[in-house]
Amino acid sequence: MRNTRQRAAILTVLRETESHPTADWIFQEVRKALPQISLGTVYRTLEMLAQEGVVRELDFGPRKRHYDGSPGKHAHVVCLACGRIADVDAPLSPELSRSVSETTGFQIMEQRTEWYGYCPDCTAAHV
Ligand SMILES: [Zn+2]
Ligand SMILES: [Zn+2]
């Protein structure tokens, strides 16, 4: 029962943001609704939700794991300066997967695409 409430609270936080937050950020937000929740519980619950395919885990290296409340397939663009992660709504070309399959002999099940650059807020300072 308690577990269900924690799970629901974590999902609500994730679904209400488009920022692809880290577990620490989610923890700070969930704590406003459930002050007793621990960071360990947040980590475990996120892991479970990711395994079930309810949320998506985005791994950008050690201690850079982010969570995505929309599990559907979509690509991301990541800011090199502030670390902001945004969804890319442009459709991914299926031809790319097909040519990877043809040249490697792999049967492609999933394609993960990330672009890196500077977001509108950081462009002025870095380009
Ligand atoms: Zn930025
Ligand atoms: Zn996303």
Side-chain angles (χ1 to χ4, degrees):
M1 185 64 204
R2 222 176 123 197
N3 230 327
T4 313
R5 258 183 56 208
Q6 291 169 339
R7 191 189 153 101
I10 289 170
L11 259 181
T12 303
V13 165
L14 259 177
R15 294 259 146 92
E16 280 175 356
T17 179
E18 286 180 6
S19 68
H20 304 81
T22 60
D24 293 295
W25 188 91
I26 295 165
F27 173 57
Q28 299 303 333
E29 288 300 305
V30 172
R31 235 169 26 158
K32 293 174 187 167
L34 302 172
Q36 270 114 10
I37 199 165
S38 72
L39 182 58
T41 301
V42 171
Y43 271 112
R44 274 194 304 277
T45 308
L46 284 169
E47 218 164 273
M48 238 165 56
L49 290 168
Q51 268 166 20
E52 291 166 18
V54 180
V55 307
R56 221 169 109 190
E57 218 171 62
L58 308 173
D59 208 337
F60 293 109
R63 299 205 37 91
K64 283 191 177 162
R65 196 170 289 172
H66 293 252
Y67 291 89
D68 193 336
S70 69
K73 284 186 181 147
H74 58 271
H76 292 106
V77 58
V78 184
C79 181
L80 293 166
C82 69
R84 175 169 148 194
I85 304 165
D87 289 337
V88 176
D89 291 326
L92 298 177
S93 120
E95 280 93 74
L96 189 57
S97 292
R98 207 171 307 134
S99 76
V100 169
S101 178
E102 276 165 16
T103 53
T104 63
F106 276 56
Q107 189 187 350
I108 304 303
M109 306 303 291
E110 192 188 343
Q111 181 194 349
R112 296 185 188 189
T113 308
E114 278 127 34
W115 285 272
Y116 293 85
Y118 296 107
C119 75
D121 293 342
C122 298
T123 297
H126 286 91
V127 178

